[in-house]
Amino acid sequence: MKNIKLVKSNGKDRTTIKIGEVEIGKGFVVIAGPCSVESEEQTIIIAEKVKEAGAHLLRGGAFKPRSSPYAFQGLGLEGLKILARARSVTGLPVVTEVIDPRDVTWVCEFADILQIGTRNMQNFSLLKEVGRVPNPVLLKRGMYSTLAEWLNCAEYIMNEGNPKVILCERGIRTFETYTRNTLDLSAVPSLRELTHLPVIVDPSHGTGRASLIEAMCLAAVAGGADGLMVEVHHNPAEALSDKEQALTPDQFASLVRKINKLSSFMGTLQ
Ligand code: PEP
Ligand code: MN
C-alpha cells in the first residue's frame, strides 16, 4: 500500500491508547450511548444504564451531520456541557463527533476522544486540525472509501503529530438496501495486517437495524476487533436520530454479557 508510513504495521507493537482507566487496543472496549445528546435527563439516564451494563466509554453526538438541513442538528455547546456532566456523574470518558475545524480546540475541553464521522473522513483540513491536539481521534471509515483511502486519512492525522488514532468500521454503501450499510467485517483482520492502530466496529450504523446488532457485535469480537461502538436509547421510539438502530438498556446489558463471554473465550484461543 503506497504512501502509508506512520500507520503501517512494520512488525511494530500494536498501538494502545490510554484514557483514564481504559486502554484501547489492550483489553476489549465497549463504547455506548445515544446517537444524539437530546437533554441532560436523557443523557444521564442512558449513561448510568450503559455504565451499569459494563460500557467503558460514553458516546453521544452534540454536532450531528444530518442528511437533511431540517433534521435535528444537535445541541452544540449545550450538548457538550451535558456530556461533561454525564462524565462526572458516571466516570465514563466521553467520545463525541467534531464536524468543523474551527471547533476542534474548544471541543477538546469537553471530550476525551474526538470522533470524525463517515461524511468527514476525507475532510483534510479537519484531519489536520485533529492531528494537532492531544486528544485521541476515532476515525470512522468513509461510506465510499477503500481501506487504502481510510488509512491515508489516519496518516494525515499522525503526520501532524497525533499518534492516537482509533479506526472504526461502520459499514459502506453497496447495492444492498435491507441493511442501512454493508458492515465490512473483513476490514477487521485486513487492518490488523496493514496497521498497528486499534480497530473497533460500529454495527449500529453498519446495519441500521436494532435486531441485527447483537449478531454483528459477536461476529466483530470473533473477527478480532479491539472494541465496539453501539447506540443505546432508554426510549428508542422517541429518539431524535437513528431510532431504528438504538438498543434499549436491557438489550444492551444482555449483549455485553455475551460479548464478555465471547471475548474471554477468544483470549483462550491465543
Ligand atoms: C454517529 O456515530 O452518530 C454517526 C453519525 O456515525 P457515522 O459518521 O458513522 O454515520
Ligand atoms: Mn447515529
Side-chain angles (χ1 to χ4, degrees), residues 5-8 12-19 24-25 112-114 127-139 151 153-167 195-199:
K5 298 178 190 156
L6 302 168
V7 308
K8 201 172 174 171
K12 277 189 252 166
D13 288 342
R14 299 193 61 77
T15 289
T16 62
I17 297 169
K18 204 161 162 34
I19 304 119
I24 301 179
D112 297 281
I113 299 182
L114 300 175
L127 297 178
K128 287 190 205 164
E129 208 58 45
V130 298
R132 298 185 195 120
V133 296
N135 299 44
V137 178
L138 188 151
L139 178 66
L151 288 173
C153 292
E155 190 82 19
Y156 260 94
I157 299 171
M158 291 188 71
N159 188 43
E160 292 298 317
N162 188 346
K164 299 179 203 161
V165 180
I166 302 145
L167 299 167
T195 175
H196 53 86
L197 295 173
V199 183

Side-chain angles (χ1 to χ4, degrees), residues 35 59 64 180 205 231 242 245:
C35 178
R59 62 145 289 141
K64 296 306 300 176
R180 180 178 181 183
H205 296 87
E231 289 187 344
D242 288 350
Q245 66 193 42

